[in-house]
Amino acid sequence: MRTLLLAAIVIGLSTLSAAAQSAPTGSIEKGRATFLKVGCAQCHGREAQGSPTTGPRLGPGAMPWAGFSRYVRTPRQQMPPYTDRVLSDADLADIYAFVQSRPKPATPPLLRP
Amino acid sequence: MRQAAAVGAAMAATPGSAVAQAPGPAAAPATAADAEPEALTGGRAGSDFMVDTIKALGFEYICANPGSSFRGLHESVINYGNNSKPELITCMHEESAVAIAHGYFKIEGKPLAVMAHGTVGLQHASMAIYNAWCDRVPVYLLLGNTLDATMRAPGVEWVHSVQDAAALVRDFTKWDDTPMSLAHFGESAMRAYKVAMTPPYGPVVLIADSELQERPIAEHAAPRVPQLTLAAPPQAEAGAVAEVAKLLVAAENPVLIADRLARTPAGLARFVELAELLQAAVISAQPNVLPPTAAGRMNFPNQHPLNQTLRSVAATAEADVVVGLEIANFYGATNIMRDQLERTTRPGTRAGAKLVTISATDLTSKSNYQDFQRYAEVDLALAGDGEATLPALIEAVRRLITPARRGAFDARGKRLADASAAALARTRSDAGYAWDASPISTARLAAELWDKIRREDWSLVNGNLSGWPQRLWTFDKYHQYIGVSGGSGIGYGAPAAIGAALANKKYGRLSVNIQNDGDLMYAPGVLWTAAHHQIPLLTVVHNNRAYHEETMHLQRMGNRRNRGVDRAHIGNEIDNPAIDYSKFAQSMGWYGEGPVANPNDLGPALARAIAAVKKGQPALVDVVTQAR
């Protein structure tokens, strides 16, 4: 059995404001449902928090829309591609709205050095 | 003594035979010979000598699911041997028996013996034997068989007999034999142990023929238990070691990658000494995974400033010399492959980087099973045991270091310390995301568990949890981590954890098992074994209710074929109904908590479970987690 794990997605970083300027409007709630339905959560976590061995954190503010959408359609690393046949542009915009809306947490006491 | 003419009488007492099922009065003996009372063994039986031999080898335990082909040996272990050194561990599956031995070895450094049928038992055991083979772990298998066809009772004894029992596992064991006399058994028993314990370690098989087991030993012909002398582990050739030292001392960015390097606590200490002497980057790599998440052994402290495992891809790309020490998958550690329809690979190292391997696996090769991984093109390949070679390599390096190189090393060490500290800070920050989510995040579970064990003498005996323990905990002792299965054969986790906990018991350590749900369900009867033998162990179920690795593979296939992933859960989920692992464990004598889905309930549940473990009871906490 192959045991290849999904490695880190390498996408250029940008600011949240720059991302917001160019991203289409999406529904956070619909995006959450689609994020679960099409399997994003399997590697990136249900809150898009990422996992060290399968997929990086996707939000908040991790990447601009242009890079995000291009990577989902034509990934260059280990992620499987999502064409518009299995994930519409509108669904992708909803997903982007969802991952961008994830709250940045305060450092929990258990994680303080 | 069993004789052909007396087989009919023996059959009458053979459970499962046709004769035993016949009504008593109608089953009258057919001949006068059948009516004679069974001859009793007045002195020692052959299996008593086998127990003398086993005791001489120093086995602490012997694991078995009972089987008639080794009934003589079983009886000798518990009566003649007084069920002490070895003590019999009752197992509910032969795969569990071997995996218990696997886990035990990686704590204790000594093998356990396992008894099994040479046929059906070995078939059950074979997956676990393959794991041990791939993980370079010695397991000592004693298989019952009846080679002499005229001595077999009709029926079950025939289907439980085989011409060449060890053939089934010969591709992934180091050595086997079928002794034809007790003296032969004694010599082969010593040889098997010696072979198993000469690096690279591996499982061995010894057939205990039922005739040899059950016939009495003639007073004048009692064989002697031979002396055992283990072989010194093979060290790599001195000239080649000097060449490696030259490369390392001259390098600007040397990287040391270790997988199954440290066989003992001393191996860990020597590896730290080498890395610190050179101020070299260290990567502790899990086979098949890049970036790595854990090592095959506890080779190096995870929070040591020179440990660059969290940035392994960058560290490997920067290297001008890469030395792989007992790394099974050196090709995978130095190349990056993309899983797509037309698979592509690109080097993970820069052009011109010198590549070196030091491994005892070059001394033992087999061809059928492909655990040797893809051929790695290297500049130097040293055939020798990594741990045994470290002292010579350290001395060779020490002799070559000049004050100027020392200055360069110190500057490199500072750069590496800054890089590993930054990587650690990033990963701690990442762990805080989804902190309050339900199902519980794997990072939260790792952090809550660490909070409860960090002040104990703990030992992580199974579990990866997406690599979070290696990021959030502090590993610096050899017994704190025992690596992975080797063959990636699911079903290893629970029994190996119990075997390791069995070894940890006498040291009073808190054994911790982060248990994948799918793995647990392969042979869950092993939970009963832990309760029956009062093996203290904290098991935390990483319950994502799926064979999740396969879910991701299905997603890849669905998207590659442009069919979507909506059905990727079919055949992979372990849900509807969800298994209640807490009740399941309680039914087999464990303390049970859960299912815990609220992250705020997790800490108290773990605390209660640890309190139970400290009283000597195995305890399980079922935690409903995110997938990864």
PDB file of all heavy atoms in Angstrom, chain B residues 10 147 226 320 439 489 533:
ATOM      1  N   ALA B  10      -4.778 -42.804  21.275  1.00  0.00           N
ATOM      2  CA  ALA B  10      -4.481 -41.377  21.413  1.00  0.00           C
ATOM      3  C   ALA B  10      -5.593 -40.542  20.793  1.00  0.00           C
ATOM      4  O   ALA B  10      -5.981 -39.511  21.311  1.00  0.00           O
ATOM      5  CB  ALA B  10      -3.145 -41.051  20.736  1.00  0.00           C
ATOM      6  N   LEU B 147       5.927 -33.774  11.455  1.00  0.00           N
ATOM      7  CA  LEU B 147       6.517 -34.077  10.153  1.00  0.00           C
ATOM      8  C   LEU B 147       6.255 -35.523   9.745  1.00  0.00           C
ATOM      9  O   LEU B 147       6.003 -35.817   8.580  1.00  0.00           O
ATOM     10  CB  LEU B 147       8.019 -33.784  10.200  1.00  0.00           C
ATOM     11  CG  LEU B 147       8.686 -33.521   8.858  1.00  0.00           C
ATOM     12  CD1 LEU B 147       8.004 -32.401   8.094  1.00  0.00           C
ATOM     13  CD2 LEU B 147      10.161 -33.189   9.068  1.00  0.00           C
ATOM     14  N   PRO B 226      23.552 -26.298  24.561  1.00  0.00           N
ATOM     15  CA  PRO B 226      24.817 -25.682  24.115  1.00  0.00           C
ATOM     16  C   PRO B 226      24.985 -24.262  24.664  1.00  0.00           C
ATOM     17  O   PRO B 226      24.025 -23.613  25.088  1.00  0.00           O
ATOM     18  CB  PRO B 226      24.673 -25.644  22.580  1.00  0.00           C
ATOM     19  CG  PRO B 226      23.550 -26.561  22.254  1.00  0.00           C
ATOM     20  CD  PRO B 226      22.644 -26.549  23.431  1.00  0.00           C
ATOM     21  N   ASP B 320      25.696  19.785   1.459  1.00  0.00           N
ATOM     22  CA  ASP B 320      26.723  19.374   0.508  1.00  0.00           C
ATOM     23  C   ASP B 320      27.213  17.958   0.794  1.00  0.00           C
ATOM     24  O   ASP B 320      27.842  17.334  -0.068  1.00  0.00           O
ATOM     25  CB  ASP B 320      27.884  20.366   0.464  1.00  0.00           C
ATOM     26  CG  ASP B 320      28.483  20.640   1.834  1.00  0.00           C
ATOM     27  OD1 ASP B 320      27.924  20.154   2.839  1.00  0.00           O
ATOM     28  OD2 ASP B 320      29.503  21.356   1.918  1.00  0.00           O
ATOM     29  N   PRO B 439     -15.202  17.725  16.091  1.00  0.00           N
ATOM     30  CA  PRO B 439     -14.232  16.817  16.694  1.00  0.00           C
ATOM     31  C   PRO B 439     -12.906  17.519  17.045  1.00  0.00           C
ATOM     32  O   PRO B 439     -12.548  18.520  16.453  1.00  0.00           O
ATOM     33  CB  PRO B 439     -14.020  15.746  15.625  1.00  0.00           C
ATOM     34  CG  PRO B 439     -15.246  15.793  14.769  1.00  0.00           C
ATOM     35  CD  PRO B 439     -15.682  17.207  14.787  1.00  0.00           C
ATOM     36  N   GLY B 489       1.959  -2.605   8.078  1.00  0.00           N
ATOM     37  CA  GLY B 489       0.851  -3.542   8.139  1.00  0.00           C
ATOM     38  C   GLY B 489      -0.054  -3.165   9.287  1.00  0.00           C
ATOM     39  O   GLY B 489       0.346  -3.194  10.450  1.00  0.00           O
ATOM     40  N   HIS B 533      -3.128  -9.956  32.016  1.00  0.00           N
ATOM     41  CA  HIS B 533      -1.766  -9.980  32.549  1.00  0.00           C
ATOM     42  C   HIS B 533      -1.412  -8.697  33.306  1.00  0.00           C
ATOM     43  O   HIS B 533      -0.240  -8.492  33.640  1.00  0.00           O
ATOM     44  CB  HIS B 533      -0.766 -10.233  31.411  1.00  0.00           C
ATOM     45  CG  HIS B 533      -0.848 -11.623  30.852  1.00  0.00           C
ATOM     46  ND1 HIS B 533      -0.300 -12.722  31.486  1.00  0.00           N
ATOM     47  CD2 HIS B 533      -1.458 -12.105  29.746  1.00  0.00           C
ATOM     48  CE1 HIS B 533      -0.544 -13.806  30.783  1.00  0.00           C
ATOM     49  NE2 HIS B 533      -1.252 -13.470  29.717  1.00  0.00           N
TER      50      HIS B 533
END
